[in-house]
Amino acid sequence: MVTEGAPRPAPLVALFLAAVVAAGGAPLQAQDAPPKTGPGAAGDEQGRKVTLFPSGTFYAPYAASPHGLGFAMQLLTVRDIGVADSSSQRMGLKMGGSLALVRFHPRERPERGWQLEFEAGFYGQFDRQHSYDNIGWDGIYGLVATAPVGERTAVKVGIHHISSHVGDEFAERTGRRRIAYTREELVAAVSRTLGARWRAYVEAGWAYDRRNPELQRPGRVEAGAELTTRGRSPGSRMRWFAAADVEAMEERDWQLDASLAAGALVRAAGDGDRRWRLGLVWRDGRVPIGEFFRDDESYVGVSVWLDI
Protein backbone atom coordinates (compact mmCIF):
# COMPACT_ATOMS: atom_id res chain seq x y z
CA MET A 1 0.00 0.00 0.00
CA VAL A 2 1.25 3.50 -0.83
CA THR A 3 1.51 5.60 2.31
CA GLU A 4 0.71 9.29 2.47
CA GLY A 5 3.70 11.47 1.63
CA ALA A 6 5.73 8.58 0.19
CA PRO A 7 7.66 9.24 -3.04
CA ARG A 8 5.89 8.26 -6.25
CA PRO A 9 7.44 7.09 -9.52
CA ALA A 10 6.30 10.22 -11.38
CA PRO A 11 8.64 12.59 -9.48
CA LEU A 12 11.52 10.20 -10.06
CA VAL A 13 10.84 10.20 -13.80
CA ALA A 14 10.50 14.00 -13.78
CA LEU A 15 13.83 14.31 -11.93
CA PHE A 16 15.52 12.08 -14.49
CA LEU A 17 14.12 14.00 -17.47
CA ALA A 18 14.92 17.38 -15.94
CA ALA A 19 18.52 16.30 -15.35
CA VAL A 20 18.81 15.15 -18.97
CA VAL A 21 17.52 18.49 -20.23
CA ALA A 22 19.76 20.41 -17.86
CA ALA A 23 22.81 18.47 -19.02
CA GLY A 24 22.60 20.18 -22.43
CA GLY A 25 25.93 21.40 -23.76
CA ALA A 26 28.33 19.34 -25.78
CA PRO A 27 27.93 15.56 -25.89
CA LEU A 28 30.62 13.05 -25.13
CA GLN A 29 32.45 11.61 -28.09
CA ALA A 30 33.00 7.94 -28.82
CA GLN A 31 36.65 7.00 -28.42
CA ASP A 32 37.10 6.40 -32.15
CA ALA A 33 35.50 9.77 -33.07
CA PRO A 34 38.03 12.61 -32.51
CA PRO A 35 36.67 15.28 -30.15
CA LYS A 36 35.99 18.76 -31.47
CA THR A 37 37.55 21.95 -30.24
CA GLY A 38 35.55 24.80 -28.82
CA PRO A 39 35.95 28.54 -28.35
CA GLY A 40 38.62 30.03 -26.17
CA ALA A 41 41.67 28.43 -27.81
CA ALA A 42 45.07 30.11 -27.43
CA GLY A 43 48.24 29.25 -29.34
CA ASP A 44 51.98 29.73 -29.05
CA GLU A 45 54.88 30.01 -31.47
CA GLN A 46 55.55 26.26 -31.39
CA GLY A 47 52.12 25.47 -32.85
CA ARG A 48 50.45 24.42 -29.58
CA LYS A 49 46.98 25.40 -28.40
CA VAL A 50 45.19 25.56 -25.11
CA THR A 51 41.42 25.15 -25.54
CA LEU A 52 39.11 25.98 -22.67
CA PHE A 53 35.96 23.85 -22.21
CA PRO A 54 36.33 21.71 -25.36
CA SER A 55 33.62 19.24 -26.27
CA GLY A 56 34.15 15.52 -25.93
CA THR A 57 36.35 13.16 -24.00
CA PHE A 58 39.31 11.06 -25.09
CA TYR A 59 38.17 8.21 -22.81
CA ALA A 60 34.65 6.86 -23.35
CA PRO A 61 32.58 5.67 -20.33
CA TYR A 62 31.89 1.99 -19.69
CA ALA A 63 28.59 0.82 -21.19
CA ALA A 64 27.90 -2.10 -18.83
CA SER A 65 29.13 -0.72 -15.50
CA PRO A 66 26.42 0.50 -13.10
CA HIS A 67 28.67 3.45 -12.29
CA GLY A 68 29.54 4.22 -15.92
CA LEU A 69 28.96 7.90 -16.67
CA GLY A 70 25.70 8.80 -18.38
CA PHE A 71 21.96 8.71 -17.78
CA ALA A 72 19.83 5.59 -17.36
CA MET A 73 16.50 4.36 -16.03
CA GLN A 74 16.17 0.66 -15.29
CA LEU A 75 13.32 -1.61 -14.21
CA LEU A 76 15.00 -4.44 -12.31
CA THR A 77 13.87 -7.81 -11.00
CA VAL A 78 16.20 -9.01 -8.26
CA ARG A 79 16.86 -12.67 -7.64
CA ASP A 80 18.63 -13.94 -4.51
CA ILE A 81 17.85 -10.75 -2.60
CA GLY A 82 20.76 -9.65 -0.42
CA VAL A 83 19.50 -6.34 0.97
CA ALA A 84 17.38 -7.24 3.99
CA ASP A 85 13.81 -5.88 4.08
CA SER A 86 13.84 -4.93 0.40
CA SER A 87 11.69 -6.31 -2.42
CA SER A 88 12.63 -7.88 -5.74
CA GLN A 89 11.07 -5.10 -7.85
CA ARG A 90 13.26 -2.01 -8.11
CA MET A 91 14.04 1.00 -10.23
CA GLY A 92 17.65 1.89 -10.93
CA LEU A 93 18.44 5.52 -11.68
CA LYS A 94 21.74 6.84 -13.00
CA MET A 95 22.72 10.41 -13.83
CA GLY A 96 26.05 12.02 -14.64
CA GLY A 97 28.63 12.95 -17.19
CA SER A 98 32.04 14.40 -17.88
CA LEU A 99 32.94 18.06 -18.42
CA ALA A 100 36.19 18.78 -20.26
CA LEU A 101 37.86 21.77 -18.61
CA VAL A 102 40.94 22.40 -20.72
CA ARG A 103 42.77 20.67 -23.58
CA PHE A 104 46.43 20.99 -24.57
CA HIS A 105 46.96 19.96 -28.19
CA PRO A 106 48.88 20.67 -31.41
CA ARG A 107 47.50 23.65 -33.29
CA GLU A 108 46.26 21.60 -36.26
CA ARG A 109 45.51 18.36 -34.39
CA PRO A 110 42.72 18.88 -31.84
CA GLU A 111 42.24 15.10 -31.62
CA ARG A 112 45.72 14.72 -30.09
CA GLY A 113 47.26 16.03 -26.88
CA TRP A 114 45.59 15.61 -23.49
CA GLN A 115 42.86 17.23 -21.44
CA LEU A 116 41.64 17.70 -17.88
CA GLU A 117 38.07 16.60 -17.10
CA PHE A 118 35.66 16.83 -14.19
CA GLU A 119 33.46 13.74 -13.70
CA ALA A 120 30.31 13.51 -11.63
CA GLY A 121 27.60 10.88 -11.26
CA PHE A 122 24.75 9.45 -9.21
CA TYR A 123 23.53 5.86 -8.96
CA GLY A 124 20.60 4.81 -6.79
CA GLN A 125 17.98 2.11 -6.41
CA PHE A 126 14.32 2.56 -5.45
CA ASP A 127 12.01 -0.12 -4.06
CA ARG A 128 8.95 -0.31 -6.32
CA GLN A 129 6.99 -2.48 -3.86
CA HIS A 130 7.55 -0.12 -0.92
CA SER A 131 6.30 3.21 -2.28
CA TYR A 132 9.49 3.67 -4.31
CA ASP A 133 11.56 4.15 -1.16
CA ASN A 134 15.15 5.02 -1.94
CA ILE A 135 17.19 2.02 -0.78
CA GLY A 136 20.50 3.80 -1.18
CA TRP A 137 22.66 5.79 -3.54
CA ASP A 138 26.26 6.57 -4.46
CA GLY A 139 27.55 10.04 -5.29
CA ILE A 140 30.64 10.06 -7.47
CA TYR A 141 32.97 12.82 -8.62
CA GLY A 142 36.53 13.04 -9.80
CA LEU A 143 39.22 15.00 -11.61
CA VAL A 144 41.01 13.07 -14.34
CA ALA A 145 43.40 13.60 -17.22
CA THR A 146 42.67 11.72 -20.45
CA ALA A 147 44.74 11.35 -23.59
CA PRO A 148 44.94 9.29 -26.78
CA VAL A 149 48.03 7.16 -27.32
CA GLY A 150 48.38 6.35 -31.00
CA GLU A 151 45.28 5.80 -33.09
CA ARG A 152 43.42 3.20 -31.01
CA THR A 153 44.50 3.55 -27.39
CA ALA A 154 43.38 6.00 -24.71
CA VAL A 155 44.50 6.43 -21.11
CA LYS A 156 43.01 8.02 -18.01
CA VAL A 157 44.61 8.92 -14.66
CA GLY A 158 43.21 10.92 -11.78
CA ILE A 159 41.31 10.96 -8.51
CA HIS A 160 37.83 9.56 -7.79
CA HIS A 161 35.63 10.15 -4.76
CA ILE A 162 32.70 7.86 -3.93
CA SER A 163 30.33 8.60 -1.07
CA SER A 164 27.55 6.10 -0.38
CA HIS A 165 24.32 6.61 1.55
CA VAL A 166 21.32 4.66 2.86
CA GLY A 167 18.01 6.09 1.68
CA ASP A 168 16.09 8.06 4.32
CA GLU A 169 12.79 6.20 3.81
CA PHE A 170 14.52 2.82 3.78
CA ALA A 171 16.44 3.65 6.99
CA GLU A 172 13.28 4.86 8.71
CA ARG A 173 11.33 1.75 7.76
CA THR A 174 14.02 -0.84 8.47
CA GLY A 175 16.33 0.76 11.01
CA ARG A 176 19.31 0.22 8.69
CA ARG A 177 22.20 2.44 9.79
CA ARG A 178 24.93 3.85 7.58
CA ILE A 179 28.38 2.30 7.77
CA ALA A 180 29.96 5.51 6.38
CA TYR A 181 31.18 3.95 3.15
CA THR A 182 33.36 6.60 1.51
CA ARG A 183 36.51 6.14 -0.53
CA GLU A 184 38.86 8.45 -2.36
CA GLU A 185 41.13 6.66 -4.76
CA LEU A 186 43.83 7.11 -7.33
CA VAL A 187 42.66 5.63 -10.62
CA ALA A 188 44.50 4.62 -13.78
CA ALA A 189 42.90 3.07 -16.86
CA VAL A 190 43.69 2.12 -20.43
CA SER A 191 41.23 1.49 -23.25
CA ARG A 192 41.86 0.13 -26.74
CA THR A 193 39.64 -0.22 -29.78
CA LEU A 194 40.13 -3.43 -31.76
CA GLY A 195 39.12 -2.83 -35.35
CA ALA A 196 36.02 -0.73 -35.96
CA ARG A 197 33.64 -2.56 -33.62
CA TRP A 198 35.43 -3.88 -30.51
CA ARG A 199 36.75 -2.10 -27.45
CA ALA A 200 38.51 -3.48 -24.36
CA TYR A 201 39.60 -1.71 -21.17
CA VAL A 202 41.33 -2.26 -17.83
CA GLU A 203 41.16 0.04 -14.80
CA ALA A 204 42.81 -0.05 -11.39
CA GLY A 205 42.04 1.99 -8.29
CA TRP A 206 43.83 2.41 -4.97
CA ALA A 207 41.92 4.09 -2.14
CA TYR A 208 44.26 6.34 -0.17
CA ASP A 209 41.41 7.57 2.07
CA ARG A 210 38.67 5.31 3.45
CA ARG A 211 36.02 6.52 5.89
CA ASN A 212 35.53 3.05 7.41
CA PRO A 213 39.00 1.44 7.44
CA GLU A 214 37.78 -1.48 9.56
CA LEU A 215 35.62 -2.72 6.68
CA GLN A 216 37.13 -1.12 3.60
CA ARG A 217 40.32 -2.06 1.78
CA PRO A 218 42.23 -0.05 -0.83
CA GLY A 219 42.50 -2.29 -3.92
CA ARG A 220 40.11 -2.38 -6.88
CA VAL A 221 40.41 -3.67 -10.46
CA GLU A 222 37.93 -3.52 -13.33
CA ALA A 223 37.95 -4.79 -16.91
CA GLY A 224 35.50 -5.11 -19.75
CA ALA A 225 34.78 -5.48 -23.44
CA GLU A 226 32.24 -3.83 -25.75
CA LEU A 227 30.95 -4.59 -29.24
CA THR A 228 29.06 -2.23 -31.55
CA THR A 229 27.85 -3.55 -34.90
CA ARG A 230 28.14 -1.71 -38.18
CA GLY A 231 25.13 0.18 -39.51
CA ARG A 232 23.14 -1.40 -42.32
CA SER A 233 24.04 1.53 -44.56
CA PRO A 234 26.59 4.38 -44.39
CA GLY A 235 23.93 6.80 -43.12
CA SER A 236 22.22 4.42 -40.73
CA ARG A 237 21.75 5.76 -37.20
CA MET A 238 20.81 2.43 -35.60
CA ARG A 239 23.21 -0.26 -34.47
CA TRP A 240 23.35 -3.10 -31.95
CA PHE A 241 25.64 -3.21 -28.95
CA ALA A 242 26.76 -5.68 -26.29
CA ALA A 243 28.98 -4.98 -23.29
CA ALA A 244 30.47 -6.87 -20.35
CA ASP A 245 32.11 -5.48 -17.21
CA VAL A 246 33.87 -7.36 -14.39
CA GLU A 247 35.08 -5.80 -11.15
CA ALA A 248 36.91 -7.15 -8.11
CA MET A 249 37.65 -5.39 -4.82
CA GLU A 250 40.11 -6.22 -2.07
CA GLU A 251 37.46 -5.55 0.60
CA ARG A 252 35.44 -8.43 -0.92
CA ASP A 253 38.42 -10.80 -1.03
CA TRP A 254 38.66 -10.19 -4.80
CA GLN A 255 35.35 -11.85 -5.64
CA LEU A 256 34.21 -11.14 -9.21
CA ASP A 257 31.18 -8.91 -9.74
CA ALA A 258 29.88 -9.18 -13.32
CA SER A 259 27.54 -6.95 -15.36
CA LEU A 260 26.15 -7.36 -18.89
CA ALA A 261 24.20 -4.99 -21.14
CA ALA A 262 22.92 -5.46 -24.71
CA GLY A 263 20.39 -3.94 -27.06
CA ALA A 264 19.83 -1.30 -29.72
CA LEU A 265 21.85 1.90 -30.10
CA VAL A 266 20.47 4.94 -31.96
CA ARG A 267 22.56 7.99 -32.67
CA ALA A 268 20.66 11.25 -32.22
CA ALA A 269 19.68 13.17 -35.33
CA GLY A 270 21.69 16.27 -36.13
CA ASP A 271 24.96 15.44 -34.36
CA GLY A 272 26.12 11.86 -34.33
CA ASP A 273 27.64 12.02 -30.85
CA ARG A 274 24.64 11.74 -28.53
CA ARG A 275 23.35 8.17 -28.35
CA TRP A 276 20.20 6.54 -27.01
CA ARG A 277 20.34 2.89 -26.03
CA LEU A 278 17.53 0.50 -25.17
CA GLY A 279 18.16 -3.01 -23.99
CA LEU A 280 18.55 -5.60 -21.26
CA VAL A 281 20.84 -5.66 -18.23
CA TRP A 282 22.07 -8.48 -16.00
CA ARG A 283 24.28 -8.43 -12.93
CA ASP A 284 25.60 -10.94 -10.44
CA GLY A 285 27.73 -9.89 -7.49
CA ARG A 286 27.79 -7.15 -4.90
CA VAL A 287 24.96 -4.68 -4.67
CA PRO A 288 26.28 -1.70 -6.70
CA ILE A 289 25.79 0.71 -3.77
CA GLY A 290 28.74 1.07 -1.41
CA GLU A 291 26.69 0.92 1.79
CA PHE A 292 25.66 -2.63 0.82
CA PHE A 293 29.01 -3.83 -0.54
CA ARG A 294 28.92 -6.90 1.73
CA ASP A 295 25.59 -8.05 0.23
CA ASP A 296 25.38 -10.18 -2.92
CA GLU A 297 22.48 -10.08 -5.38
CA SER A 298 21.67 -10.88 -8.98
CA TYR A 299 19.19 -9.05 -11.16
CA VAL A 300 17.85 -8.79 -14.68
CA GLY A 301 16.02 -5.85 -16.16
CA VAL A 302 15.25 -3.52 -19.03
CA SER A 303 17.04 -0.21 -19.37
CA VAL A 304 17.08 2.99 -21.40
CA TRP A 305 20.34 4.94 -21.51
CA LEU A 306 21.41 8.34 -22.80
CA ASP A 307 25.11 8.72 -23.53
CA ILE A 308 26.06 12.39 -23.67
Side-chain angles (χ1 to χ4, degrees):
M1 176 177 8
V2 178
T3 59
E4 183 179 355
R8 303 300 201 275
L12 300 178
V13 174
L15 174 64
F16 173 77
L17 294 177
V20 170
V21 173
L28 294 178
Q29 305 271 335
Q31 184 178 320
D32 56 358
K36 307 170 187 175
T37 56
D44 59 26
E45 296 179 356
Q46 286 71 40
R48 306 288 297 182
K49 273 190 176 182
V50 178
T51 301
L52 297 178
F53 305 112
S55 63
T57 179
F58 290 123
Y59 197 96
Y62 306 144
S65 171
H67 288 134
L69 295 177
F71 292 78
M73 291 184 66
Q74 302 172 333
L75 295 179
L76 307 175
T77 299
V78 180
R79 301 175 297 177
D80 303 323
I81 297 174
V83 178
D85 301 312
S86 66
S87 78
S88 63
Q89 301 302 308
R90 301 182 194 167
M91 174 188 286
L93 183 65
K94 180 168 68 171
M95 298 181 286
S98 177
L99 171 65
L101 302 175
V102 60
R103 180 182 301 161
F104 303 87
H105 61 91
R107 181 181 297 275
E108 303 300 330
R109 298 292 303 276
E111 76 279 6
R112 312 308 298 170
W114 66 278
Q115 69 183 25
L116 193 64
E117 304 175 19
F118 174 75
E119 298 182 341
F122 166 95
Y123 177 81
Q125 287 189 7
F126 300 81
D127 194 326
R128 293 160 54 200
Q129 292 184 346
H130 288 95
S131 305
Y132 281 82
D133 287 355
N134 176 216
I135 295 173
W137 58 276
D138 283 357
I140 306 163
Y141 63 83
L143 189 65
V144 299
T146 65
V149 180
E151 296 298 323
R152 296 190 177 278
T153 303
V155 296
K156 176 175 73 172
V157 295
I159 297 173
H160 276 175
H161 173 96
I162 299 177
S163 180
S164 187
H165 303 265
V166 178
D168 292 343
E169 303 91 346
F170 181 78
E172 182 178 355
R173 179 172 61 83
T174 66
R176 178 91 182 214
R177 301 186 63 180
R178 187 169 182 247
I179 63 172
Y181 188 97
T182 299
R183 62 184 282 136
E184 291 187 1
E185 65 177 22
L186 300 174
V187 61
V190 59
S191 170
R192 183 171 178 81
T193 57
L194 310 171
R197 296 182 292 172
W198 284 93
R199 176 199 183 200
Y201 58 84
V202 177
E203 177 173 309
W206 183 265
Y208 59 88
D209 185 16
R210 306 181 304 281
R211 185 67 55 85
N212 191 333
E214 293 184 3
L215 296 178
Q216 297 178 254
R217 298 292 182 269
R220 180 184 67 85
V221 293
E222 185 174 6
E226 301 170 1
L227 168 67
T228 304
T229 66
R230 301 179 187 273
R232 293 187 176 181
S233 62
S236 174
R237 291 165 44 210
M238 179 176 175
R239 301 181 181 183
W240 300 98
F241 79 94
D245 181 271
V246 177
E247 186 177 31
M249 306 186 74
E250 183 181 357
E251 60 200 23
R252 285 177 48 82
D253 296 326
W254 302 108
Q255 298 178 53
L256 295 182
D257 306 315
S259 301
L260 301 176
L265 180 155
V266 180
R267 294 187 178 275
D271 66 47
D273 304 321
R274 186 161 299 188
R275 307 183 302 173
W276 287 93
R277 292 183 286 135
L278 175 65
L280 302 176
V281 293
W282 171 89
R283 180 175 173 84
D284 184 68
R286 79 175 183 100
V287 177
I289 299 171
E291 281 292 309
F292 305 94
F293 82 92
R294 293 172 293 180
D295 301 320
D296 289 314
E297 289 185 339
S298 62
Y299 65 66
V300 295
V302 60
S303 177
V304 57
W305 298 267
L306 173 60
D307 302 327
I308 61 172

